[in-house]
Amino acid sequence: MDKKTWWKEAVVYQIYPRSFQDSTGSGVGDLNGITQRLDYLKDLGVDVIWLSPVYASPNVDNGYDISDYRAIMDEFGTMEDFDRLLAESHKRGLRILMDLVVNHSSDRHPWFIESRSSVDNPKRDWYIWRDGFNGGCHPEGGLPNDLRSVFSGSAWEKDEKTGQYYMHNFAAAQPDLNWANPDVRNAVYDMMGFWLDKGVDGFRMDVIDAIDKPPTALAVSGGKADTCFGNPGVHKYLREMNQKVLSRYDIMTVGETSSVTVDTAPLYAGNDGKELNMVFQFEHTWVDHDKTLGKWKPLPLDLPKLKKILSRWQTALHGRAWNSLYWDNHDQPRIVSRFGNDSTEELRILSAKMLAACLHMMQGTPYIYQGEELGMTNYPFTRLEECNDVEIRNAYRELVTEKKLLTHEEMMKGIRKLSRDNARTPMQWDDGKNAGFSAGTPWMGINPNYKTINAASQVHDPESVFSFYKRLIRLRKEHPVIVYGDYELLLPEDEKLFVYRRRFEDTGLLVVCNFTPNRITGIDIGALRSDGDKLLIGNYRDTEPDEKIIRPYEAKVYLKN
Ligand code: GLC
């Protein structure tokens, strides 16, 4: 059996501080706003809060470009506000996970300002600098090689001061740190100690699988370059980080690792505990992406494919490593608009609950992204000006303006379905001014559906999406089978139903989820049930006596005790 630990039994809630609660009327969420809402989170029943970055930042990528790792972003408040948030959280038994963004810094970080100042500056080697190919006078523009940025275009930016190029996996304002330099690593470890000594409870590690760059990604060739993600050398650094920092504290760590596979997950998050506690895998988030145009050309959901991916992660990691479970985060669209159905209120509520049950009954630590517990939906973007995200803007420029691979309408369709900004609109607290998010002008548009979809209308309604999440969280605390049980997928080829079983000692679960707006007949749930089991939770008020009928977006979980 998996060794018992608190972080395996915990449920995490992610806050994107900019969009959570504004306490000053600036239009931007802040730390005191979060502190004001801690009782809401306590009521929901979560154990850990993951804060997206709250450090000083020029906000090219909304805090994922850090200019001072030991200071709080002005817009979010002060270090005293942070200390109060931490203390108030701990008082309520809530732990705080910080976002650790150390693959890159901001180009305004003093380290980079020094680094770019001259080729022989002592901090030059803290970042990754290369000559252009052929000394920079190559017809292709002299780029060292064809390495691409995740945010479109080349990963190399020429710096006029010295004529060399620096490497950035993300925006040009996010230069990658050079982890091969021990001084960089030690500076990062010191900074981690600063936060841990303050009492924070762990880290979510941003793109941590990219910190080790293979020489074949950085070679000056004028041509092909390998990816920086998932180079095996990353494990050497994570082991060092674990020995020097993580192992000295009782904390929780989760790595954001888009390159991880079921084969490499045990290295990062194996039961031997040499690196991290768990990782975020990405495979299920790509299931509806086009092969070449990615998220900008959404595909319909292929349920057998989704089931295959999630089930592979469930079975491969059981007893060996630990899963993270998520549908949403600040980089993903809203799940109810993605794999669920937001076309009517009734279907939105049913499908939001179904998706929650489907995920929360699996093995791993579940993550809830702010507003997911209300069934918040995607935003009806029609103009590029409504979008803020650097990823969207860069992709629009490349795919629509420059390469003309998509029309404006096609791109907007992709943005509405799968872009990150869907997750970043302000939290919908109530049906009052600006959805209760801010007394000023919100930094980003509020979803016009806030009059119907908001926290105030849900917290006291036993039938709400919020109350359903609350029950799922409580059930996880009551039934060890949810945390520690094994997993078996049933009906793998079925295109409408996601059905699986969990087993732990003498107990078991049967989870049945209808991913369609149709009534399904013909599958006999009665035949799959175990003797003496009982309905533990379902998303319909009544039960359907005919076990051969499964209603639109129905979710049912049976427990055998
Ligand atoms: C991670 C973050 C994302 C950010 C990127 C660069 O993927 O989750 O929001 O843009 O890293 O830091």
Side-chain angles (χ1 to χ4, degrees), residues 437-454:
F437 162 68
S438 168
T441 308
W443 73 280
M444 200 177 174
I446 293 187
N447 198 308
N449 63 22
Y450 74 94
K451 295 260 177 208
T452 5
I453 307 174
N454 60 65

Side-chain angles (χ1 to χ4, degrees), residues 49-93:
I49 299 169
W50 152 23
L51 292 178
S52 274
V54 296
Y55 318 93
S57 164
N59 284 312
V60 170
D61 189 19
N62 289 342
Y64 285 91
D65 48 322
I66 297 169
S67 53
D68 184 346
Y69 289 100
R70 296 175 194 236
I72 297 295
M73 191 189 301
D74 287 339
E75 288 170 294
F76 290 175
T78 62
M79 194 57 92
E80 289 68 47
D81 298 334
F82 179 85
D83 292 340
R84 191 168 338 106
L85 169 59
L86 187 62
E88 289 296 321
S89 301
H90 286 169
K91 214 191 263 176
R92 291 166 175 79

Side-chain angles (χ1 to χ4, degrees), residues 61 64 101 104 151 170 174 204 206-207 256 330-331 420 424:
D61 189 19
Y64 285 91
V101 189
H104 46 268
F151 290 164
F170 295 89
Q174 295 168 297
R204 173 268 184 188
D206 194 64
V207 290
E256 188 207 20
H330 65 293
D331 293 332
R420 314 198 295 179
R424 300 177 178 186

